């Protein structure tokens, strides 16, 4: 029986020779793709989705408070509508999500390497499927997922997740291993763009309603769009936005986005050079 959680030193990957060729091609294309680390990250994750039959992806920044409770700010995503992006931001900051996935997040701080795990392989998967957070995701058409989770700094983590629509079958061992191999080939997928600004750690102080708004602002959605999808008045959204700006010491949405998205670029050797 295969290990449900992949780690970089685990062997016996389930991929075929054809899979390996396609992964190498994707890595090579990414290494020559013109653009900054954010553009390369989007290109790589779009390509990986095609290889493993995923329809959506996200890269999230997680900061842990003193009780090891994660606070998620989704930095990048692909394939989500505004409604789905709002739902995902709500779900990942839901108490049920914190409770169910806490053992996995605690585990990453006991080892230096990333974990690659499918939704069904989390210890609390059965509880998650019965939770309000899971029901919210299902209502928005967001289904099963596979994630790579990597500890960054002392109290943070990066999570790269691929999704399928609700009702689609789980990712296979083979598809999980393909994500795992990509992470090994381009470790900057987790670390490139990680915010260097210490103010980012303040997300642990935000209430859930503000966390969802922060995530949507960082993704570039307008205040009016956010008001519409959150069923809030524009005045309420403006008030919350100004509180967020004040907390992070910024004066505009573009400045807030730079605070979260302009981090350390990927190294010159992106992992595809075998020399």
């Amino acid at each position: 029986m295969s290990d449900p959680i992949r780690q970089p030193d685990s062997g016996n990957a389930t991929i075929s020779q054809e899979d390996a060729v396609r992964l190498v091609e994707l890595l090579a294309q990414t290494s020559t793709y013109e653009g900054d680390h954010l553009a390369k990250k989007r290109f790589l994750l779009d390509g990986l989705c095609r290889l493993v039959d995923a329809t959506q992806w996200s890269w999230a920044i997680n900061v842990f408070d003193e009780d090891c409770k994660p606070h998620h700010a989704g930095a990048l995503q692909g394939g989500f509508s505004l409604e789905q992006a709002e739902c995902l931001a709500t779900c990942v900051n839901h108490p049920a999500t914190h409770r169910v996935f806490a053992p996995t997040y605690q585990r990453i701080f006991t080892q230096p390497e990333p974990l690659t795990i499918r939704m069904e392989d989390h210890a609390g998967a059965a509880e998650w499927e019965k939770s309000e957070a899971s029901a919210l995701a299902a209502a928005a058409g967001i289904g099963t997922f596979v994630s790579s989770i990597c500890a960054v700094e002392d109290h943070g983590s990066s999570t790269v997740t691929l999704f399928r629509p609700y009702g689609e079958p789980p990712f296979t061992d083979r598809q999980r291993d393909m994500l795992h191999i990509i992470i090994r080939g381009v470790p900057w997928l987790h670390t490139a763009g990680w915010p260097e600004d210490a103010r980012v750690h303040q997300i642990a102080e935000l209430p859930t309603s503000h966390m969802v708004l922060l995530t949507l602002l960082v993704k570039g959605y307008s205040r009016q769009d956010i008001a519409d999808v959150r069923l809030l008045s524009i005045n309420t959204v403006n008030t919350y936005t100004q509180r967020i700006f004040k907390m992070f010491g910024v004066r505009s949405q573009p400045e807030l986005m730079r605070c979260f998205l302009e981090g350390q670029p990927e190294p010159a050797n992106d992992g595809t050079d075998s020399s």
Side-chain angles (χ1 to χ4, degrees):
M1 182 176 179
S2 63
D3 181 2
I5 302 177
R6 278 290 174 191
Q7 300 183 38
D9 58 353
S10 61
N12 302 318
T14 59
I15 71 167
S16 67
Q17 183 175 358
E18 180 182 357
D19 291 331
V21 170
R22 295 168 71 192
L23 288 172
V24 169
E25 289 176 346
L26 178 58
L27 291 173
Q29 292 167 358
T30 302
S31 68
T32 58
Y33 186 78
E34 294 186 2
D36 61 12
H37 61 276
L38 298 178
K40 287 190 174 185
K41 188 171 290 193
R42 291 188 180 97
F43 177 84
L44 179 59
L45 289 172
D46 284 343
L48 185 57
C49 279
R50 290 191 292 271
L51 292 184
V52 302
D53 298 324
T55 55
Q56 299 154 320
W57 59 264
S58 72
W59 173 53
I61 296 165
N62 313 306
V63 174
F64 295 79
D65 60 24
E66 294 179 352
D67 297 323
C68 204
K69 175 183 175 182
H71 299 263
H72 304 260
L76 292 177
Q77 67 178 26
F80 290 95
S81 66
L82 168 60
E83 291 75 17
Q84 289 177 321
E86 186 273 339
C87 176
L88 183 63
T90 300
C91 289
V92 297
N93 286 289
H94 193 283
T97 305
H98 297 159
R99 182 176 62 254
V100 169
F101 299 121
T104 301
Y105 279 105
Q106 290 169 0
R107 179 175 176 178
I108 67 171
F109 289 106
T110 65
Q111 59 186 54
E113 305 294 350
L115 298 177
T116 308
I117 182 170
R118 299 175 300 183
M119 180 190 81
E120 295 77 13
D121 295 325
H122 284 275
E127 180 183 354
W128 160 256
E129 292 180 353
K130 299 175 183 178
S131 71
E132 180 185 14
S134 178
L136 289 172
I142 302 172
T144 189
F145 55 84
V146 58
S147 301
S148 175
I149 310 169
C150 179
V152 182
E153 301 181 344
D154 294 333
H155 300 289
S157 71
S158 162
T159 303
V160 173
T161 305
L162 309 182
F163 297 86
R164 283 182 173 162
Y166 179 72
E168 291 292 312
F171 289 91
T172 64
D173 288 354
R174 162 183 161 269
Q175 291 163 336
R176 177 204 59 198
D177 288 350
M178 291 175 77
L179 171 60
H180 183 75
I181 290 170
I182 286 289
I183 296 297
R184 293 188 67 182
V186 283
W188 56 258
L189 191 56
H190 276 299
T191 58
W194 180 264
E196 295 181 322
D197 196 319
R199 291 174 294 180
V200 170
H201 293 276
Q202 296 180 86
I203 66 174
E205 302 173 16
L206 287 172
T208 299
S209 59
H210 288 55
M211 280 297 307
V212 174
L213 178 59
L214 171 65
T215 293
L216 296 177
L217 288 170
V218 170
K219 286 182 168 64
Y221 291 110
S222 72
R223 298 188 200 183
Q224 187 60 61
D225 284 343
I226 295 171
D228 292 343
V229 76
R230 295 287 288 166
L231 302 179
L232 298 172
S233 71
I234 189 64
N235 289 335
T236 298
V237 171
N238 285 336
T239 298
Y240 287 0
T241 299
Q242 290 305 315
R243 290 175 185 169
I244 291 171
F245 285 178
K246 183 177 180 180
M247 170 172 281
F248 292 100
V250 300
R251 297 183 178 181
S252 67
Q253 186 173 353
E255 191 176 353
L256 180 71
M257 293 171 68
R258 288 194 296 271
C259 179
F260 278 83
L261 296 176
E262 291 188 0
Q264 180 67 34
E266 77 276 11
N269 182 355
D270 62 6
T272 61
D273 184 359
S274 60
S275 60

